[in-house]
Amino acid sequence: MLDRVTNWNFHISEKINKNQILGCALIYSENNNQLRINEGHTSLSRDQKITLDSKFEIGSLTKIFTGLICSELIIKKQLSLDTSLGEFDYFKSSVEDVKKITLKELLSHSSGLPRLPSNINPKDTLNPYVDYTENDLKSFLNSVNLYPKEYCYSNIGYALIGKIIDSSSVKNFEEHLNDLLSNLNLKDTYVYHGKTDEKLCSPYNHKLELVKHWEMGIFKSAGGLVSTSSDLIKFCNYLIGKENHDLKKEVSLSMESLYKSSSIDIAFGWHINNVPKYFRHDGATYGHYSKIRIMPSERRFLISLSNTYCDMPEIDIV
């Protein structure tokens, strides 16, 4: 374990020294031992080092939380995997093939929807989702030609899951999300709506040029969350069964496979590697990069957060 983390520490330090990333927080937990790396700074404009409480945009890691909300609602029988878009008034004017899309297909990226809607045309390319409107979404759904029902990673699919949740309950998606975060005691995890937060790391692209924080709007259920290492450690401990909590059934359901082909296996947002078995997801915005890996059978997990758009494939759980 120590050799592995030492290599990661060297790799992160080298990236920082070469101005390829500004900062990184990394946590690796194995056999009841946990090693933490906090390197670099939160911003080029202030002398503030990365800590466990530094906040990062976690992008598509949000999908894990959205999947967990769905598992809660399924257990409460407010939704089912066979729930279709056509059951809700919001989608009543959509084309027939769109109305037939099920929650299971959306969760597993097998709905036939593309990654992004064809009519997304941001006024500000550095904040590409903020001005995509309800009318834009409905216009897209009324004209889309679906792909075959095969795996195709889809942000628009997870945006529609948010709309299903809005339509299936007296609470909207964000209210359900806030309830979940409260139940898990994740106090520094929230949907970013543009509010200034001194602990939120400034975002940088791969050239260390300052970019913008993303306000996800309609896409918040696909990628709108900000979080910290501290909160995600707590979350991963729940996921691997190391901490007691009241959502064990929901967590277990959310990690069941929904779609499997010769090349990929998908749970409620999770991508599953089967040899050895572990669950993974990455998240990226224009200025942050994150990843979570968990191996429940061995109670191992890895969290990596950076305030620079830079994947570090050398850092992984296997």
Side-chain angles (χ1 to χ4, degrees), residues 52-211:
L52 284 175
D53 296 321
S54 298
K55 297 177 183 178
F56 297 84
E57 297 172 340
I58 63 170
S60 285
L61 296 189
T62 304
K63 293 180 175 70
I64 301 167
F65 292 87
T66 299
L68 188 50
I69 292 170
C70 288
S71 72
E72 282 190 273
L73 295 176
I74 288 168
I75 286 173
K76 291 176 181 176
K77 302 192 183 303
Q78 295 181 30
L79 288 175
S80 79
L81 289 172
D82 294 326
T83 296
S84 64
L85 294 181
E87 295 175 35
F88 304 103
D89 288 343
Y90 186 90
F91 303 99
K92 65 183 179 182
S93 62
S94 302
V95 299
E96 290 304 312
D97 284 346
V98 170
K99 291 180 185 179
K100 294 176 185 176
I101 291 172
T102 65
L103 178 61
K104 180 179 180 180
E105 291 170 341
L106 293 171
L107 284 165
S108 59
H109 302 288
S110 59
S111 66
L113 288 164
R115 185 184 188 96
L116 292 172
S118 56
N119 64 342
I120 191 166
N121 186 27
K123 295 176 183 176
D124 183 351
T125 56
L126 292 180
N127 196 8
Y129 296 96
V130 66
D131 57 359
Y132 192 80
T133 67
E134 299 278 352
N135 286 338
D136 291 331
L137 177 57
K138 290 181 177 181
S139 176
F140 167 73
L141 294 176
N142 285 329
S143 61
V144 63
N145 291 315
L146 298 178
Y147 297 145
K149 300 274 184 174
E150 300 170 350
Y151 174 80
C152 178
Y153 188 86
S154 180
N155 281 321
I156 189 66
Y158 267 74
L160 296 187
I161 293 174
K163 292 301 173 186
I164 287 177
I165 294 170
D166 286 346
S167 302
S168 65
S169 168
V170 294
K171 294 180 182 178
N172 62 33
F173 166 78
E174 198 161 342
E175 288 169 331
H176 279 289
L177 177 62
N178 289 337
D179 286 347
L180 174 65
L181 298 172
S182 177
N183 289 339
L184 296 174
N185 198 30
L186 306 185
K187 297 179 179 179
D188 289 316
T189 304
Y190 60 90
V191 174
Y192 179 73
H193 290 298
K195 184 178 179 181
T196 300
D197 186 334
E198 289 299 318
K199 289 188 177 181
L200 179 57
C201 296
S202 298
Y204 296 90
N205 66 18
H206 66 288
K207 297 179 181 180
L208 285 196
E209 298 168 333
L210 183 67
V211 290

Side-chain angles (χ1 to χ4, degrees), residues 220-232:
K220 61 189 172 186
S221 50
L225 281 177
V226 162
S227 191
T228 66
S229 300
S230 183
D231 271 7
L232 292 177

Side-chain angles (χ1 to χ4, degrees), residues 29-64:
S29 182
E30 178 183 332
N31 297 327
N32 294 318
N33 295 314
Q34 192 176 105
L35 290 176
R36 303 171 180 179
I37 298 170
N38 292 296
E39 293 286 345
H41 291 80
T42 65
S43 174
L44 284 172
S45 63
R46 57 183 186 267
D47 187 21
Q48 186 180 69
K49 292 188 176 181
I50 299 288
T51 71
L52 284 175
D53 296 321
S54 298
K55 297 177 183 178
F56 297 84
E57 297 172 340
I58 63 170
S60 285
L61 296 189
T62 304
K63 293 180 175 70
I64 301 167

